[in-house]
Amino acid sequence: MRIARQIALVGACLIWLMPLILLVIASLLPEQAIVDRQSIWPLTIENFHALLKHGTILMGLRNSLLMAALATLVAALVAAPAAYAAAQHPLRLRGVFGWILTTRILPPVAVLIPLFVMAQAVHATDSLLGVAVIVGAGNVPVVAWLMRQFIAEIPPNMIDALRMDGASEWAVVRWVLLPLSGPGLTTSLFLSFVLAWNDYLFSSVLISAPSLKTLPVIAADFVTGYRIKWGLMLACDVILIAPPVILSVIAAPQIAKIMLQRVARD
Amino acid sequence: MKNWLFRYPNIPALILLGGVAVVPVISLFYFAFQNIGGGSFGVWSFQFTFRNFATWIDPGTLQSAFRTCEYAAISVTTEIVAGTAIGLFVGMRSRTITPLVRILSVPVMTSPLAVGMIWKLLFSIDGGWVNGVLVSKLGIEVPWLSLTPPHWPLATTAPEWLNINWGFFVLIAADVWQWTPLIIIVVLARLVTVPQSLIDAASVDGLTDSKIARVVLLPLLRPTILVLVLLRLIDSFRVFENIWALFGDNDSAASMTSLIVRYTLLIRDYGRGAALSLLFLGLVIGSLMALIRSGARWHRL
């Protein structure tokens, strides 16, 4: 009975995943077959081949990786001290942390125009670092919120004991905070990476040089005013969603175990 | 001096968010009173004007403001109700959630832009795959990604601003498809921490499963659900990629986000765009405050 229930559930989930399954199938069909919708056989990899020949895809992969990595770095470097301040710092500074979380309410589109104008004023358009700083800053509230949960669980006695023994603040970070909040840190970094990887708004507005376009922008470029290049676009979508999806399928139970139980408990 | 970071670890976050969030919001107020844009880059003429605020009472703006709120309300309600129900149904008797969480995490991690494109593949009017199946098996064709109202009683006579049309349904379906799994995952993860003895005791007392879910488990979930509603509402106001991918620059399907992007990218009128951004910001903050106020009341019950 139990097993039957499990099978039924996983079956229901597969129906839920149907759009993605259809995406993969469609990306393996010749362009004409996608539009004609007559048959889903034979499958070919010609779209991916054409995408590779199109040339921009490898550059897009590199740009996306670079931008997401930089954004994650920015978010982590800024959020980790703030999370530590809220969780373990003697002064706590709760109000400041609350303010940091509140900035999440701000929709990115609402500050698009000022950021666009500011970026032009300081000549930061067409720069992956510029996009990464903005996108990373947008993820700071999420990352800081998650990190605080993990840092708060470290027994304060351990930190106090180390301080009593005359350890420097850096030693506290190096020998207590980093090792004990390791899994939580990894989870927050992973989520921040995926959020930055999926960013379309700022990458599309702030970057116009073809050699700096990220994957979502390249995928969107296959939709022109008159015609959609279905084959190339769907193949590009598959490449765009594959890394986060594969990583999350591998890591999801761990993430759910170490993160969601704690977040849900609060 | 060397230890300033250890003394005030908040400072880097304050500087970064000040630059990327506070300064832009303040400059929105400045831009909204200026006549800028329209010309080529770098040669802007800044002139004091009130004309930008005329966009606030433009019928198109009011409709898309209403559409944004309607979208948020319908999609968040559907996701929370369906996600909680499914999570309770699955999580009450089963403690092995690993395979489920693996599968459910997939839509959540998918790029919203890609979701929009998949939906375009499935539902576009002439080449959509769903219509392909419908036409060949049932002989009917549904104008999915259009603003045609469905042939239901009342739907065809409803005023246009109520957004009772196939395109709006598909848009909400995309959101619900992507985010209901997140609610299920969180509800499942919360239920795992509920002691099994609580459920056993209730069923020994003769409560049916549905009664246990409503009387025992739902109250336990209430704080979690409140947090989820808040997070989902914040995120549903940000939705842009789906709408842009499915409808692009279509006036009758525009949300506040796509309207602002249009003023930034296509019309290049930054003054009017800033005025619209202010209206949008007011809308978001207003509805969140209303939610928090009523949520606090619900919490005290």
Side-chain angles (χ1 to χ4, degrees), chain A residues 5 16 37 78 89 104 249, chain B residues 6 89 102 128 177 238:
Chain A
R5 198 186 165 101
W16 197 269
R37 351 166 255 209
V78 167
H89 199 269
R104 173 78 184 164
V249 167
Chain B
F6 290 113
F89 177 73
R102 270 190 218 278
W177 174 81
R238 314 174 143 220

Side-chain angles (χ1 to χ4, degrees), chain B residues 57-294:
Chain B
I57 48 166
D58 186 60
T61 310
L62 292 177
Q63 275 183 27
S64 70
F66 179 77
R67 196 176 293 120
T68 306
C69 294
E70 190 186 357
Y71 176 88
I74 297 179
S75 58
V76 173
T77 313
T78 318
E79 285 155 22
I80 295 286
V81 172
T84 312
I86 297 171
L88 278 172
F89 177 73
V90 176
M92 192 154 50
R93 292 281 170 212
S94 157
R95 306 244 135 183
T96 45
I97 58 171
T98 310
L100 259 181
V101 168
R102 270 190 218 278
I103 295 177
L104 288 176
S105 71
V106 171
V108 178
M109 292 292 168
T110 307
S111 142
L113 183 82
V115 173
M117 290 171 169
I118 298 168
W119 247 246
K120 209 171 178 111
L121 167 77
L122 296 180
F123 291 104
S124 62
I125 295 168
D126 40 359
W129 282 26
V130 172
N131 267 348
V133 174
L134 284 183
V135 169
S136 66
K137 295 279 184 283
L138 301 171
I140 49 170
E141 190 165 33
V142 181
W144 294 110
L145 285 184
S146 74
L147 301 166
T148 337
H151 289 293
W152 301 334
L154 294 180
T156 38
T157 52
E160 201 186 318
W161 54 266
L162 269 178
N163 298 312
I164 302 182
N165 58 58
W166 288 111
F168 195 65
F169 294 159
V170 173
L171 208 56
I172 285 180
D175 201 276
V176 169
W177 174 81
Q178 184 163 25
W179 294 109
T180 307
L182 179 74
I183 315 288
I184 303 177
I185 293 177
V186 176
V187 168
L188 283 177
R190 178 67 183 87
L191 285 181
V192 170
T193 64
V194 174
Q196 183 67 45
S197 54
L198 206 64
I199 300 171
D200 291 343
S203 68
V204 168
D205 285 347
L207 265 66
T208 58
D209 275 12
S210 72
K211 191 107 188 184
I212 295 176
R214 271 181 295 132
V215 180
V216 181
L217 297 176
L218 201 56
L220 284 173
L221 284 173
R222 199 150 66 182
T224 314
I225 293 174
L226 271 181
V227 173
L228 281 174
V229 171
L230 200 63
L231 291 181
R232 278 307 306 141
L233 197 66
I234 289 173
D235 279 353
S236 70
F237 278 120
R238 314 174 143 220
V239 168
F240 158 69
E241 288 93 342
N242 289 350
I243 302 172
W244 198 251
L246 284 176
F247 295 102
D249 180 34
N250 186 336
D251 242 351
S252 321
S255 63
M256 284 307 281
T257 49
S258 55
L259 208 60
I260 293 170
V261 169
R262 175 158 67 141
Y263 271 95
T264 317
L265 283 185
L266 304 178
I267 306 180
R268 294 186 188 279
D269 187 334
Y270 305 118
R272 290 205 166 97
L276 283 175
S277 303
L278 281 181
L279 178 68
F280 182 38
L281 215 54
L283 201 71
V284 172
I285 293 173
S287 24
L288 286 176
M289 279 169 69
L291 177 87
I292 290 173
R293 200 162 285 177
S294 57

Side-chain angles (χ1 to χ4, degrees), chain A residues 46-111:
Chain A
E46 71 176 51
N47 291 326
F48 290 92
H49 197 70
L51 196 62
L52 211 57
K53 267 206 298 207
H54 192 266
T56 51
I57 190 71
L58 291 177
M59 221 138 52
L61 261 174
R62 189 203 64 188
N63 294 336
S64 270
L65 269 175
L66 193 64
M67 194 277 276
L70 282 172
T72 310
L73 192 70
V74 169
L77 285 180
V78 167
Y84 165 66
Q88 297 278 5
H89 199 269
L91 297 175
R92 288 298 165 98
L93 310 164
R94 281 254 165 73
V96 180
F97 192 71
W99 181 82
I100 292 174
L101 295 188
T102 333
T103 56
R104 173 78 184 164
I105 290 172
L106 196 68
V109 172
V111 287

